[in-house]
Amino acid sequence: MSTQEFIRNIPKAELHLHLEGTLEPELMFEFASRNNVPIPYRSVEELRQAYRFSDLHSFLKIYYQATAVLLREQDFYDLTWAYLSKIYSQKVRHAEVFFDPQAHTSRGISFETVISGIHRALSDGKEILNISSRLIMCFLRHLPAEAAMETLQQALPFKEWICAVGLDSDELGNPPEKFGTVFDEARKEGFLTVAHAGEEGPPAFIRQAVERLRVKRIDHGVRCMEDVQLVEELRAKQIPLTVCPLSNVKLRVFRDITAHIIKQMMDASLCVTVNSDDPAYFGGYIAENYMAVQQAFHLSESDIYTLAKNSFHASFLSKEEKQAYLSELDRFVSSHALIENVVA
Ligand code: HPA
Ligand code: ZN
C-alpha cells in the first residue's frame, strides 16, 4: 500500500470544516440555476480563477458572496450531503462541522431552514454512510456581540442538534473577549465551546479563547508557536489544535507548505489534528491536507497514525464512541503492518 493509499484509507475524524466552504463551483452553478440567483461568473473555470486570496479577509468576501445561492432547506441538505459523500471516500468516520447561521439569516433565510437541511443530511450520513457527526454553530466575529447573542437565542429551539458554539470570520480587530458574555450564556445552555484563534491573530487571542471563552479546542492556533509559555500550557493541558495546512497556504499565513509550522507543533507534543477548513476554496479535502504535510515533512506512517489518533481524542464523542473508533484505527494499522510484512 502506498503512503497515499495509507492516508486515504486510515480511519480519521475531521474537526475543522465549514459547510459553506464545501460549496464547489459546479454545485454553486447548479444552485444558482435552480434558484434563479445571478452569479457574477460565466463559468466554473472563471469562478475557480477568482480563488486567489491575499489573506483571510479577501477570502471571506468571496465565501460570503457565494452563500447567496443557498436559499432552500434542500440546498443546505444537498451541500451537506455532497460533503459527506466526498469524505466517505477518504475514510472520515466522524465529522464535526461548522455552519455560519448569520451568513444566511442576514439574507432573510430562516434559522430553521438552514439547520433543518443540514441536520437531515447529517442524520442520513449516519444511517447510509455510517459517518457520525456533531454540528457546531459559529458566530461571525466581525459582527457585534449582540448579533451573536440573538443568534444564540434563535438556536435554542434546536439545541438538541447543536453540540458546540464557535467563533469565526475576520480575526484581526475582533478578539475573543468581545464574545465573553455570549460564550458564558452558551455554556450555561450546555454548549461546548471552540474558537478560531491564532490564525492571523496574535498568541494573546489563543490565551483569551482558553481563559475567557473556556474553549475545548483551538481552531488553527498556529501562531501559538510565537509564545513559548503558551505552547507549554497547551501541551500540558493537551488542548487540541485543529490545524488546516492548505488553508494556511492559500490565505498566506505561510509562504508555502514547507514553511508551515505543523511539524514543529507535533515535535512540541501538542495535540495537533489535520483538517480541511474550506476545501472547495483551498484545493483539497482532508486526505489532500494529510498528503501535503506528509510530503513536505516526510512524515512516517507512525506520524500519520498519531494525527489520526489525535483526531478522535480531540473530538466531542463520548468515551465509548472514541474507544470504538480508536480500536477500528488500531485494527487498520495492525492489518496494514501485517500486509506490509508479508509483502516484504
Ligand atoms: N477563518 C476564519 N473564518 C472562516 C474561515 C477561516 O479559516 N473559514 C470560514 N470562515
Ligand atoms: Zn475555519
Side-chain angles (χ1 to χ4, degrees), residues 111-125:
F111 190 98
E112 182 175 7
T113 298
V114 178
I115 198 165
S116 300
I118 294 173
H119 177 75
R120 188 159 62 86
L122 294 178
S123 303
D124 283 356

Side-chain angles (χ1 to χ4, degrees), residues 16 18 56 59-60 63-64 100 141 167-171 196 199 220 247 251 277-278 282:
H16 185 152
H18 302 263
L56 175 59
F59 156 68
L60 288 170
Y63 168 91
Y64 293 129
D100 287 332
R141 70 203 302 163
L167 195 58
D168 66 1
S169 192
D170 270 318
E171 187 180 10
H196 284 55
E199 177 186 17
H220 292 296
S247 163
L251 301 188
D277 210 6
D278 301 284
F282 298 153

Side-chain angles (χ1 to χ4, degrees), residues 18-20 63-64 67 70 76 97-116 118 135-143 147-156 158 162 164-168:
H18 302 263
L19 283 173
E20 292 87 349
Y63 168 91
Y64 293 129
T67 61
L70 300 164
F76 292 94
V97 300
F98 299 127
F99 76 121
D100 287 332
Q102 291 162 289
H104 314 297
T105 53
S106 64
R107 302 180 288 113
I109 316 294
S110 79
F111 190 98
E112 182 175 7
T113 298
V114 178
I115 198 165
S116 300
I118 294 173
L135 187 54
I136 303 174
M137 173 175 79
C138 279
F139 301 118
L140 300 186
R141 70 203 302 163
H142 68 276
L143 298 177
M149 194 63 101
E150 213 171 284
T151 303
L152 179 62
Q153 299 308 320
Q154 291 171 354
L156 293 182
F158 307 97
I162 304 169
V165 300
L167 195 58
D168 66 1

Side-chain angles (χ1 to χ4, degrees), residues 90-277:
Q90 300 196 343
K91 244 341 184 15
V92 174
R93 302 287 292 108
H94 175 69
E96 302 192 350
V97 300
F98 299 127
F99 76 121
D100 287 332
Q102 291 162 289
H104 314 297
T105 53
S106 64
R107 302 180 288 113
I109 316 294
S110 79
F111 190 98
E112 182 175 7
T113 298
V114 178
I115 198 165
S116 300
I118 294 173
H119 177 75
R120 188 159 62 86
L122 294 178
S123 303
D124 283 356
K126 179 66 194 157
E127 197 151 308
I128 300 166
L129 306 174
N130 198 23
I131 298 174
S132 56
S133 59
R134 296 285 186 275
L135 187 54
I136 303 174
M137 173 175 79
C138 279
F139 301 118
L140 300 186
R141 70 203 302 163
H142 68 276
L143 298 177
E146 292 71 28
M149 194 63 101
E150 213 171 284
T151 303
L152 179 62
Q153 299 308 320
Q154 291 171 354
L156 293 182
F158 307 97
K159 214 164 136 175
E160 298 308 306
W161 294 351
I162 304 169
C163 153
V165 300
L167 195 58
D168 66 1
S169 192
D170 270 318
E171 187 180 10
L172 296 175
N174 296 294
E177 65 186 7
K178 175 176 165 186
F179 297 91
T181 311
V182 182
F183 272 60
D184 287 344
E185 190 59 28
R187 276 186 287 101
K188 258 187 242 158
E189 292 290 349
F191 296 106
L192 299 171
T193 62
V194 296
H196 284 55
E199 177 186 17
E200 286 187 342
F205 282 18
I206 300 175
R207 199 169 263 121
Q208 267 182 33
V210 172
E211 290 172 4
R212 182 66 186 89
L213 306 186
R214 312 254 190 98
V215 297
K216 300 283 185 213
R217 291 198 296 252
I218 291 286
D219 295 313
H220 292 296
V222 289
R223 287 195 61 193
C224 74
M225 297 303 279
E226 295 167 28
D227 183 333
V228 181
Q229 182 60 34
L230 177 61
V231 171
E232 177 46 28
E233 283 169 36
L234 295 171
R235 188 202 59 76
K237 295 183 188 150
Q238 284 295 290
I239 296 177
L241 300 136
T242 62
V243 177
C244 306
L246 291 176
S247 163
N248 293 152
V249 173
K250 277 280 184 194
L251 301 188
R252 307 207 196 164
V253 174
F254 298 101
R255 185 188 66 243
D256 58 40
I257 193 71
T258 62
H260 202 287
I261 212 157
I262 189 166
K263 183 65 167 64
Q264 291 169 60
M265 295 173 82
M266 292 168 73
D267 290 344
S269 302
L270 292 171
C271 182
V272 175
T273 66
V274 168
N275 308 272
S276 68
D277 210 6

Side-chain angles (χ1 to χ4, degrees), residues 3-39:
T3 304
Q4 197 162 351
E5 284 170 318
F6 181 77
I7 285 173
R8 282 190 84 84
N9 292 317
I10 193 168
K12 54 183 97 56
E14 172 139 77
L15 306 176
H16 185 152
L17 180 284
H18 302 263
L19 283 173
E20 292 87 349
T22 68
L23 182 54
E24 291 286 349
E26 291 78 4
L27 203 53
M28 198 188 302
F29 271 89
E30 198 180 313
F31 290 156
S33 131
R34 81 185 188 197
N35 289 335
N36 268 319
V37 177
I39 43 176

